[in-house]
Each structure stands twice: as C-alpha cells, then as structure tokens.
Amino acid sequence: MTAAAENGAQTAGRPTRLPRSARRKQLLAAAQEVFVAQGYHSAAMDDIAERAGVSKPVLYQHFPGKLELYLALLDTHADAIVASVRDAMASTTDNKERVSAAVRAYFDFVDHKSEAFRLVFESDLRNEPAVRERVERVEQGCIAAITDTIISTTGVHRARAELLASGLVGAAETAAQFWLAAGRQVPKSEAEALLAALTWRGIASFPLQGESAPPQGESA
C-alpha cells in the first residue's frame, strides 16, 4: 500500500487527501506543538505523526527527517519576525512612532505566537549550526531593517547605526521574552509603552540629518 493510500485508509470518515501545501501546513502546526511541549531532543517523529493524524510515511513524504522539519518551522517564523520589524519601520516616517512600532512587533509576536517565539529564541538546539544560523538570521535581519532607518534619518556611519540597532533589537527581544515568562503581569500596551519610552530617550539624542544635536541636558 502506498503512503497516500495508507493515509486515506487511516483517515476514513474525514477528508482523505489535502493539497500538498495544506498538508505541509498541518504537519508544521503539529510539529510545533510537539517541539514546544517536549523540546527537540525528546520529540519523536512518531509523536508528530500521531499529533497530525497521519502515518509516518506521509510525514516523511514531506520532511526527510526531524531536523529538516524543525528547520522548516524556524524558517517560517524567522521570516515572519523580520517582516514584522521591516513593516514597523515602513509604517511611518515619525521616528518616535517607528521605535514604538518596532517594540510592538516583538510584543505582538510574543503575545499572539508565543509557541513560535519560544521555538526560535528558546530552542534546546542552539548548538546545531543550521539552527544557530537561522536564529542569527532573525537577529541580523531585524538589526538590518532598523540600521537602514537610523542611517537615513541620522546620517551616522553604518557601524555605529548597527550598534544602535542591535541595542534596540536586544532590548525588545529580551523585554518581550521576560514579559512572557513573567506571566504577562504588566498589561501589554503598558509594557510596550514603557520599553518604547526607555529606548526613544536614547535614540532621540541623535539629531536628524542636517540638524545639530540638542544642547546637553535638553530633552528631545
């Protein structure tokens, strides 16, 4: 019996076949639940197949192994995080609002996709080169999006802009992770506002291109 036929037989009473893209999405969702609940090392392909309601041959038709499945999940979420930060930077020309939007992008991701956030930033497989590369790609992609904005508005050199951007990304990522782990004790909107205010106070000290820096001690 082929894997497709086997899958059809075991799913009697419900849709027997899904388009490949829909099946892949279903398998990724099941894998995410298992990986977050058990961690990569404890999760088994048997567990993922059972959670998805398919046979192992069907699972292997889409993903040749557990690592490939895990990496596919990371790719999906990595792209989503970077896109959110890029959208935040493009959402307004007001730099104060851009900072708020960047912070909000992280808190939104944590709030609405907490499993995905844990998968990317709390992986128990960070020493695996392919996993580490993807996590670093998320951080570098977010830093790059903010760096370009800092350069275009302040005129500081790229190395300095990257350093500033890494500070904003690190603060947003760490604060959002802490907020989630602490059980969302502070209302989300207030948490975002607090971090955005803290970050903006620092970035606002850098003048826009063509402007002079405010006198020392003067508020931006």
Side-chain angles (χ1 to χ4, degrees):
M1 180 182 293
T2 66
E6 180 184 347
N7 183 50
Q10 76 167 25
T11 57
R14 55 188 178 184
T16 57
R17 287 185 66 89
L18 288 174
R20 185 171 182 82
S21 60
R23 177 67 76 196
R24 178 182 173 87
K25 184 176 181 179
Q26 176 201 27
L27 296 175
L28 287 173
Q32 178 168 302
E33 292 177 5
V34 173
F35 284 136
V36 170
Q38 301 181 19
Y40 177 84
H41 294 293
S42 298
M45 293 293 270
D46 284 326
D47 300 327
I48 295 168
E50 181 179 355
R51 182 68 61 94
V54 302
S55 65
K56 278 182 67 177
V58 169
L59 181 57
Y60 280 114
Q61 279 183 346
H62 292 264
F63 302 100
K66 186 168 71 168
L67 179 59
E68 288 77 13
L69 179 52
Y70 192 82
L71 294 177
L73 269 174
L74 289 184
D75 284 336
T76 299
H77 297 314
D79 292 343
I81 296 173
V82 174
S84 293
V85 174
R86 288 194 179 280
D87 289 345
M89 293 296 99
S91 65
T92 177
T93 57
D94 184 300
N95 289 328
K96 185 176 182 180
E97 289 302 317
R98 278 173 168 157
V99 170
S100 295
V103 170
R104 192 179 311 118
Y106 275 92
F107 276 85
D108 281 347
F109 197 83
V110 164
D111 192 33
H112 303 308
K113 298 181 179 180
S114 58
E115 287 189 349
F117 187 88
R118 289 188 173 104
L119 192 74
V120 175
F121 293 108
E122 299 177 6
S123 171
D124 61 348
L125 201 62
R126 293 288 286 266
N127 290 330
E128 165 63 41
V131 173
R132 186 170 62 250
E133 184 274 329
R134 282 159 172 80
V135 174
E136 290 174 352
R137 192 179 74 199
V138 171
E139 295 171 346
Q140 292 303 315
C142 294
I143 289 171
I146 297 172
T147 294
D148 291 340
T149 299
I150 290 175
I151 290 175
S152 66
T153 57
T154 68
V156 301
H157 291 182
R158 176 163 292 275
R160 294 171 176 78
E162 287 175 340
L163 185 61
L164 292 170
S166 70
L168 175 55
V169 167
E173 177 187 322
T174 301
Q177 190 172 12
F178 177 86
W179 177 77
L180 177 65
R184 300 177 170 91
Q185 294 180 13
V186 178
K188 177 170 169 283
S189 59
E190 183 181 351
E192 293 170 355
L194 286 170
L195 186 62
L198 173 65
T199 307
W200 174 247
R201 292 290 294 177
I203 292 179
S205 66
F206 291 87
L208 299 176
Q209 289 212 61
E211 294 182 355
S212 299
Q216 189 172 7
E218 181 179 316
S219 299

